Amino acid sequence: MSERPIWDKGGADVDERIMRFLAGEDVRLDQHLLRYDIRASIAHVNGLQRIGILDGKESAALSAALKGLDESVASGQFVLDDRYEDGHSAIEAFLTERLGDAGRKVHTGRSRNDQVLVATRLYLRDQLDRLVAIALDIAEMFLERAAADDRTPMPGYTHLQRAVPSTVGLWCAAFAESFIDIAMLTRSTRGWINTCPLGTAAGYGVNLDLDRQVVSDELGFDRVQVNAMYAQNSRGRFEMAVLHSLHQALLEVRRFAWDLSLFTTEEFGFVRLPERFTTGSSIMPNKRNPDVVELLRASGAVVEGAMAELAAVVALPSGYQRDLQATKEPVIRALMRGLAALEIVPDLVASMEFDRAKMREAITPAMFATDRAIDLAAQGVPFREAYQQVGREIEAMKGLPIDESIAQRASLGGAGRLGLDLLRRRLDEQREDA
Ligand code: ARG
């Protein structure tokens, strides 16, 4: 750190090694938050002008300088480095260097404690918007694949044992509906965290009549986070809620990856993936391995680790504690890895090639036993009796035509009535609201 820390009252005893420990990776992580911090700083400046702490000229100069800084960050001209303790100090140093006293006034009525909260919250909000968009793209792709192969037979498994005839449509529509629901969950999380902590300062408010509502509106928050101490107490916990939504998405990706890693084996042989999703072996010349699918499956672990880490860090007494800085790294790491994984999925879904003959072959006569028993029950035989009767006949069973059996699975959500129109409507509604 070459700059003096902003809390230096003159002649502070600063030990380089201890400062490095305190900062940790903070400066590097603040690079992800810096533009949000700048945006919130502009709102704070406008708020200070409103209550007469800054005059019109000062506030205009500060806003212009902050916008300039934002552009330099966006273009990569300004990069945070360990000259500064953190992003907040960097912004203040920049403004002071440019504008002198106006820069030295910018921190009036705020603390780095509410500054980091508001920047993080704006960042989280953007990441949730990304998650909604990706979840809807994934749902869209699965829905298209479901419609294209709505009646294509595929064995249905329970316990990974052959159970009943099913379809590619049912398998794909399961993921489509799941990702529509994940988009809904993610938006409700967005609503939950879309509350403005700026103006709570160090966790106790300030002796100024800050217009918190106007600042909150300017930053697009739904509401003010009223209690100053609660604002600090929510740090890390809101991050956990965000990761919870991401985790739901990655759990489904993991399930899909698992299915694919089975279905692409020679033993199943239902699905082929284009070469770009596979890699070769360094020793076994015969191999193409589904590494992409496997790393997708592993990406949930990053989020699970991060959630555990956050839960451990936020076990704290009321108010700000420096421990909270340790919430930044897991949440940013999990979001980067998780969203990058999800972004691969639409292409993967679009690229699956089905071996329709292989899937048809894998549907054996015994798999019609459930249909047969229900048929008998519909004719008036008590179901338990029908079940036992069909059970005795399994060995001798010859299958119904597969397609007929599927067509008869007419309960809503079954293979014969996928309800794709319902899912389409829900997906479109989610897109319109987005
Ligand atoms: N880097 C710090 C964090 O993320 C900023 C807040 C510092 N506040 C303090 N009182 N030392 O928590």
Side-chain angles (χ1 to χ4, degrees):
M1 233 174 77
S2 54
E3 301 275 327
R4 301 295 298 172
I6 50 178
W7 42 263
D8 180 13
K9 295 179 280 292
D13 181 10
V14 175
D15 180 297
E16 267 303 318
R17 190 165 55 152
I18 292 175
M19 286 305 293
R20 265 203 310 279
F21 170 71
L22 283 171
E25 294 284 279
D26 208 43
V27 175
R28 180 181 60 80
L29 295 166
D30 277 357
Q31 184 71 33
H32 296 268
L33 304 179
L34 193 56
R35 297 191 67 199
Y36 300 104
D37 201 345
I38 294 168
R39 202 169 133 201
S41 295
I42 293 172
H44 179 65
V45 163
N46 291 338
L48 289 181
Q49 187 201 337
R50 228 165 207 287
I51 58 168
I53 299 286
L54 296 171
D55 63 32
K57 243 179 79 193
E58 288 169 323
S59 113
L62 284 166
S63 290
L66 285 164
K67 281 175 193 145
L69 178 59
D70 185 54
E71 278 158 27
S72 313
V73 176
S75 69
Q77 245 174 295
F78 183 94
V79 180
L80 267 183
D81 54 44
D82 52 18
R83 273 174 300 162
Y84 307 103
E85 187 181 0
D86 52 32
H88 324 303
S89 314
I91 292 175
E92 191 171 317
F94 173 87
L95 293 174
T96 301
E97 191 188 295
R98 294 286 141 111
L99 306 172
D101 275 349
R104 275 186 279 270
K105 288 183 181 182
V106 74
H107 210 56
T108 313
R110 80 173 173 188
S111 154
R112 281 183 295 169
N113 296 356
D114 62 337
Q115 197 177 349
V116 66
L117 269 179
V118 71
T120 306
R121 210 150 291 177
L122 293 171
Y123 165 80
L124 293 175
R125 208 171 70 182
D126 265 10
Q127 305 309 307
L128 288 174
D129 288 342
R130 262 178 82 194
L131 178 53
V132 170
I134 299 171
L136 294 177
D137 285 348
I138 295 173
E140 178 73 50
M141 201 46 77
F142 272 119
L143 202 54
E144 281 172 26
R145 299 298 317 248
D149 279 284
D150 60 339
R151 291 289 169 95
T152 302
M154 176 188 241
Y157 299 88
T158 70
H159 312 263
L160 280 178
Q161 308 291 322
R162 286 177 179 169
V164 292
S166 182
T167 60
V168 169
L170 188 86
W171 180 60
C172 287
F175 290 111
E177 185 170 349
S178 178
F179 278 97
I180 295 169
D181 281 354
I182 286 164
M184 285 166 69
L185 169 71
T186 305
R187 296 172 81 169
S188 88
T189 304
R190 187 194 197 279
W192 196 57
I193 69 153
N194 198 20
T195 166
C196 185
L198 187 56
T200 57
Y204 295 92
V206 287
N207 47 335
L208 290 172
D209 190 19
L210 298 172
D211 194 338
R212 295 195 57 206
Q213 186 61 54
V214 169
V215 171
S216 169
D217 292 345
E218 181 176 335
L219 292 171
F221 286 108
D222 292 336
R223 59 199 193 282
V224 167
Q225 192 168 21
V226 177
N227 186 286
M229 186 181 276
Y230 167 52
Q232 288 307 318
N233 296 348
S234 64
R235 187 163 177 203
R237 286 181 43 238
F238 280 20
E239 282 83 337
M240 286 175 75
V242 170
L243 292 196
H244 173 70
S245 293
L246 178 64
H247 188 220
Q248 283 293 328
L250 290 173
L251 286 176
E252 281 303 73
V253 166
R254 179 186 291 164
R255 190 191 313 280
F256 174 56
W258 243 124
D259 287 353
L260 275 185
S261 67
L262 290 171
F263 292 168
T264 53
T265 58
E266 262 179 84
E267 283 70 13
F268 279 85
F270 299 166
V271 178
R272 272 185 309 271
L273 293 176
E275 206 171 308
R276 69 178 187 283
F277 288 108
T278 66
T279 62
S281 158
S282 64
I283 178 171
M284 298 170 283
N286 54 322
K287 302 228 33 211
R288 290 304 312 172
N289 301 319
D291 295 32
V292 177
V293 167
E294 290 162 343
L295 280 176
L296 281 178
R297 192 165 58 195
S299 47
V302 178
V303 178
E304 282 152 17
M307 286 167 84
E309 201 172 329
L310 284 175
V313 172
V314 300
L316 290 170
S318 291
Y320 179 81
Q321 334 283 336
R322 189 67 180 265
D323 309 53
L324 291 170
Q325 177 174 294
T327 58
K328 244 185 246 181
E329 200 272 335
V331 79
I332 291 173
R333 169 174 27 104
L335 282 164
M336 283 182 33
R337 284 281 295 278
L339 292 169
L342 289 167
E343 273 161 357
I344 306 276
V345 175
D347 182 22
L348 179 62
V349 176
S351 308
M352 293 184 292
E353 293 163 28
F354 294 109
D355 188 332
R356 295 179 177 77
K358 261 271 168 76
M359 292 188 286
R360 213 173 252 278
E361 268 166 41
I363 298 176
T364 50
M367 293 171 78
F368 295 92
T370 308
D371 277 0
R372 188 73 51 92
I374 293 174
D375 271 347
L376 288 174
Q379 287 157 30
V381 183
F383 179 76
R384 192 51 57 212
E385 201 180 310
Y387 175 95
Q388 281 161 357
Q389 184 187 321
V390 174
R392 285 188 297 271
E393 292 166 3
I394 293 262
E395 297 300 321
M397 266 183 75
K398 282 206 269 308
L400 285 174
I402 296 175
D403 307 278
E404 198 182 307
S405 157
I406 286 165
Q408 284 167 4
R409 203 80 47 71
S411 60
L412 177 61
R417 194 167 150 214
L418 293 174
L420 297 184
D421 48 339
L422 271 173
L423 299 184
R424 164 56 56 196
R425 219 170 311 136
R426 281 188 208 165
L427 176 53
D428 290 346
E429 271 165 25
Q430 285 298 312
R431 280 214 191 277
E432 277 158 29
D433 294 349

